[in-house]
Amino acid sequence: MAKSKIHQFLLACLGAVLLCSAHADESHASNDEFLIVDTHIDTPYRNFRNELNIFDGTNTGQFDLPRAQQGGLSVAFMSIYTPASAAEEGTSKSIALEQIDWVVETADSTDAIDIATCVADVRKLHEEGTLAFALGLENGSPLEGDPANMKAFADLGIRYVTLAHSRSNEFSDSSYDENEPLQGLSDAGRELVHEMNRQGIMIDISHLTDKASWQVLELSKNPVLATHSSLRHFIPGFHRNIPDDLVVAMKENGGVVHINFGSSFVSDESRAWRNTFDDALEEANAASELTPEQRQAFYADYLEANPYPFATVATVADHIDRVVELAGVESIGLGSDFDGVGDTLPIGLKDASMFPNLIDELRERNYDDDALRKILGENLMRVWAANEAIASEQGHEPNCTQP
């Protein structure tokens, strides 16, 4: 990493730490009552690539146990992510299973963390002061095109599935895949929606195209999630974010939009920086194909000449305000994308210790404790409970981990 990049990063982090510590005593004490749920944390895949220690504070990422406890986090949905390249190589399932094993083994190794597979688990663990790890499958590729494989992953604790990721797959088109070969969902994708409804597994429309998302909402009898998506209203043309009419439709479905914290998801200026950098990198690579090391050096040099415009806590809160304006306070939640968006997180929301900063910002915007409870976790719990109840009516009682 270039020296100037390190300097810039440390200055940003220092500002965030000072902001956090200035409010820590008065905020965190009053925030203990809240059940805080983060629906998307990518630490399992970071560990898959490079083994992590999340216990002793040496982890250089954005999530570990000390910082989660400092931030008052109650439920961390561990994202079981598989890249599109793994599907091409036939390794999606094995990569997913290895990550699930790590999450379970991590929870088993300490009394401070336990696995939650149902709403009752979460309530019990929160009362005990234990951090709950829940599991979400980011990318349906490990199901290998067969909705019948959903049960095996549900038995392992998976409680939501993001149908696709960076490329269209057997189930759905991806918002990053401009070809949209399926024009929404495939027949298998439609069948998967019904199967997930039947088993009470929550459907995540993050990463899907608008067409696929609308089709999910038309088909699903259960409330759905966007586990880590922000609003296109603030970044026109960024298809990965959700448009206003889809936010309203999520309300009608009873679902919840969980705001992604990444600067390029919440700030038009940050997204423009990313687009300009991508164009520059593509031009440099076209002139002479770059090695991974050369790409890293190109990034460092570009960053030195063009400092990254980080978003702020207020920027994230603007997205929350917009969802509330469109769909009410029952339709909004938090999905940070910690460990999934690199070093682009906003000043004041750099890691899992900093949830109190966002709570303070929302309080300053006159959100009362009832509204905060909904935003921070109870909206997600409502959707989860509704999925369990509808599945129970069809003979699928929730499979809880906690005795």
Side-chain angles (χ1 to χ4, degrees):
M1 184 182 290
K3 183 177 179 181
S4 59
K5 182 182 177 185
I6 294 173
H7 181 66
Q8 176 193 359
F9 179 74
L10 289 176
L11 284 175
C13 289
L14 177 60
V17 169
L18 290 173
L19 176 61
C20 184
S21 61
H23 297 286
D25 291 340
E26 62 183 85
S27 284
H28 187 60
S30 61
N31 295 334
D32 287 344
E33 65 178 286
F34 295 126
L35 187 150
I36 302 178
V37 181
D38 187 332
T39 51
H40 198 87
I41 297 174
D42 275 304
T43 308
Y45 191 69
R46 280 196 69 238
N47 180 78
F48 174 78
R49 296 180 65 186
N50 296 287
E51 189 172 343
L52 303 175
N53 182 332
I54 69 163
F55 299 114
D56 64 4
T58 60
N59 178 19
T60 58
Q62 294 136 14
F63 174 88
D64 55 28
L65 179 59
R67 284 180 286 180
Q69 291 173 328
Q70 182 181 351
L73 187 61
S74 310
V75 184
F77 268 89
M78 295 282 103
S79 169
I80 306 303
Y81 162 69
T82 57
S85 58
E88 297 171 355
E89 297 163 1
T91 58
S92 292
K93 183 176 180 180
S94 63
I95 291 174
L97 293 176
E98 185 171 335
Q99 291 179 70
I100 292 172
D101 286 345
W102 176 78
V103 173
V104 173
E105 289 167 3
T106 299
D108 286 346
S109 69
T110 175
D111 291 336
I113 304 172
D114 215 334
I115 300 294
T117 59
C118 68
V119 168
D121 284 352
V122 171
R123 298 296 185 196
K124 180 177 184 293
L125 293 175
H126 182 58
E127 185 176 343
E128 295 172 352
T130 302
L131 175 62
F133 273 2
L135 295 170
L137 188 65
E138 186 181 21
N139 196 350
S141 291
L143 302 177
E144 298 180 328
D146 188 353
N149 290 331
M150 186 67 255
K151 183 179 185 306
F153 279 92
D155 289 345
L156 292 172
I158 294 296
R159 288 300 175 265
Y160 74 68
V161 178
T162 315
L163 300 188
H165 190 256
S166 60
R167 296 180 202 165
S168 302
N169 62 16
E170 304 97 325
F171 300 115
S172 176
D173 283 331
S174 162
S175 60
Y176 287 129
D177 191 337
E178 296 180 358
N179 293 323
E180 298 192 31
L182 300 173
Q183 290 299 293
L185 301 177
S186 67
D187 289 343
R190 293 171 183 272
E191 185 181 345
L192 180 59
V193 168
H194 294 308
E195 183 62 20
M196 290 175 67
N197 277 182
R198 191 174 70 86
Q199 295 189 41
I201 306 303
M202 295 176 283
I203 299 167
D204 177 21
I205 64 169
S206 295
H207 284 285
L208 305 192
T209 60
D210 290 354
K211 288 180 181 178
S213 297
W214 282 109
Q215 289 168 18
V216 167
L217 290 174
E218 290 167 4
L219 290 169
S220 180
K221 296 179 180 179
N222 297 8
V224 307
L225 304 174
T227 65
H228 58 305
S229 295
S230 301
L231 302 188
R232 201 177 304 168
H233 170 81
F234 295 96
I235 310 179
F238 184 39
H239 197 185
R240 171 65 178 82
N241 275 357
I242 291 181
D244 283 0
D245 58 350
L246 196 58
V247 174
V248 174
M250 290 281 283
K251 173 188 178 180
E252 296 168 355
N253 165 267
V256 178
V257 177
H258 292 78
I259 298 301
N260 189 314
F261 293 176
S263 290
S264 63
F265 286 80
V266 295
S267 163
D268 195 29
E269 185 181 7
S270 301
R271 174 51 49 181
W273 187 98
R274 170 56 61 181
N275 292 340
T276 303
F277 167 76
D278 287 345
D279 290 343
L281 179 61
E282 183 177 354
E283 182 178 346
N285 194 59
S288 176
E289 187 169 352
L290 303 179
T291 66
E293 292 76 14
Q294 289 172 326
R295 284 172 174 265
Q296 186 175 4
F298 182 89
Y299 176 76
D301 291 343
Y302 188 90
L303 188 63
E304 182 176 4
N306 306 274
Y308 186 79
F310 288 103
T312 66
V313 177
T315 321
V316 174
D318 288 343
H319 285 250
I320 293 172
D321 283 348
R322 180 71 180 175
V323 174
V324 172
E325 176 187 345
L326 292 168
V329 75
E330 293 79 12
S331 302
I332 182 69
L334 309 179
S336 66
D337 216 347
F338 287 144
D339 284 340
V341 288
D343 59 358
T344 71
L345 286 155
I347 296 170
L349 281 174
K350 292 293 183 185
D351 60 47
S353 72
M354 298 186 180
F355 287 105
N357 292 339
L358 181 57
I359 295 171
D360 286 350
E361 176 69 27
L362 293 175
R363 280 198 168 113
E364 290 177 6
R365 298 182 184 214
N366 297 318
Y367 286 90
D368 61 21
D369 282 356
D370 183 59
L372 288 172
R373 272 188 283 272
K374 292 176 180 178
I375 294 167
L376 296 173
E378 291 300 336
N379 288 335
L380 179 280
M381 297 298 288
R382 172 182 55 77
V383 171
W384 194 348
N387 274 262
E388 288 183 351
I390 295 170
S392 179
E393 292 171 1
Q394 302 179 66
H396 285 266
E397 294 294 333
N399 178 17
C400 293
T401 303
Q402 301 303 310

